């Protein structure tokens, strides 16, 4: 999966699972963006999105289609398709094991780098959901930044952006957890 990093396929606003990038890098980017807008006299809001069971909601067919679009094909594409097909999982704690349960058609292997990168490929195009927003993402944590000249315009733009983002989440099989999603209006 180094192909994704080496060939700059991963979204530049994604900070997860990449050398030299971290939650600290993401926080610095967010802070810099917000302060730049505030310094420019703009109204700024950020929506911190929480996705429900994100790694368990990855539609295999959609993921494989997106992989083709990013130029991941051939034998590697077949290998990934095989990896995702008819998966089962179990939990092993101390000397106890659960039964083998199918993961279904919507999950990537958790706790593995391949699962992490497959998830990143699925959400890689989230920034195309709305051109009226800025994005800072770390794996399944997405921060959407919106700014405008007045609070009234900010409210309208934020409503529009969140409608577009919600459509993107639905189209990509993701479920926004509204109870854990937070909105912050930044002010000087």
């Amino acid at each position: 999966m180094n192909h994704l990093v080496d060939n700059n396929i991963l979204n530049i606003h994604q900070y997860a699972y990449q050398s030299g990038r971290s939650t600290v890098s993401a926080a610095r980017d967010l802070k810099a963006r917000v302060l730049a807008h505030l310094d420019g006299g703009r109204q700024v809001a950020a929506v911190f999105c929480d996705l429900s069971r994100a790694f368990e909601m990855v539609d295999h067919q959609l993921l494989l289609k997106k992989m083709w679009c990013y130029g991941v094909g051939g034998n590697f594409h077949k290998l990934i398709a095989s990896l995702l097909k008819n998966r089962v999982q179990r939990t092993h704690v101390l000397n106890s094991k659960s039964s083998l349960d199918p993961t279904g058609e919507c999950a990537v292997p958790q706790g593995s780098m391949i699962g992490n990168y497959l998830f990143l490929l699925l959400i890689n195009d989230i920034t195309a959901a709305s051109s009226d927003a800025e994005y800072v993402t770390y794996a399944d944590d997405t921060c959407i930044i919106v700014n405008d000249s007045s609070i009234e315009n900010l409210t309208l733009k934020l409503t529009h952006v969140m409608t577009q983002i919600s459509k993107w989440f639905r189209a990509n099989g993701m479920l926004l957890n509204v109870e854990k999603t937070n909105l912050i209006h930044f002010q000087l």
Side-chain angles (χ1 to χ4, degrees):
M1 295 306 262
N2 285 340
H3 171 76
L4 302 176
V5 176
D6 295 344
N7 293 302
N8 298 317
I9 292 172
L10 291 180
N11 193 308
I12 62 169
H13 303 293
Q14 177 60 257
Y15 286 87
Y17 318 125
Q18 300 174 68
S19 179
R21 301 188 72 139
S22 66
T23 53
V24 173
S25 305
R28 283 184 185 141
D29 184 12
L30 171 64
K31 178 183 171 187
R33 290 167 185 264
V34 169
L35 288 176
H37 292 306
L38 289 173
D39 288 346
R42 310 283 288 175
Q43 293 288 322
V44 185
V47 180
F48 297 85
C49 299
D50 183 80
L51 298 175
S52 296
R53 301 175 23 225
F55 286 75
E56 299 170 29
M57 304 287 286
V58 177
D59 180 284
H60 296 169
Q61 294 308 311
L62 179 58
L63 172 61
L64 292 168
K65 181 179 175 184
K66 286 188 176 194
M67 287 178 68
W68 275 114
C69 292
Y70 291 119
V72 180
N75 287 333
F76 187 71
H77 191 272
K78 290 177 188 174
L79 177 68
I80 297 299
S82 174
L83 171 75
L84 296 173
K85 189 174 181 174
N86 299 322
R87 289 190 56 77
V88 293
Q89 67 182 9
R90 80 164 22 142
T91 304
H92 187 165
V93 179
L94 298 175
N95 292 326
S96 296
K97 293 180 188 177
S98 68
S99 59
L100 286 172
D101 294 319
T103 60
E105 296 298 314
C106 290
V108 293
Q110 294 185 47
S112 68
M113 286 308 291
I114 190 77
N116 295 341
Y117 282 112
L118 292 174
F119 180 79
L120 293 186
L121 277 175
L122 179 75
I123 66 164
N124 201 46
D125 62 345
I126 191 169
T127 57
S130 175
S131 59
D132 290 326
E134 297 173 53
Y135 303 83
V136 177
T137 61
Y138 190 90
D140 61 329
D141 294 318
T142 301
C143 176
I144 301 161
I145 306 161
V146 178
N147 74 89
D148 213 304
S149 58
S150 70
I151 191 71
E152 294 81 14
N153 289 346
L154 178 68
T155 302
L156 290 172
K157 187 184 277 187
L158 190 57
T159 301
H160 176 69
V161 165
M162 288 313 295
T163 298
Q164 292 174 312
I165 294 294
S166 295
K167 286 179 184 177
W168 186 93
F169 282 142
R170 276 192 306 280
N172 287 275
M174 299 283 110
L175 181 61
L176 185 65
N177 183 343
V178 269
E179 291 180 10
K180 291 184 177 179
T181 294
N182 292 293
L183 169 67
I184 297 178
H185 177 214
F186 292 95
Q187 297 178 6
L188 287 177

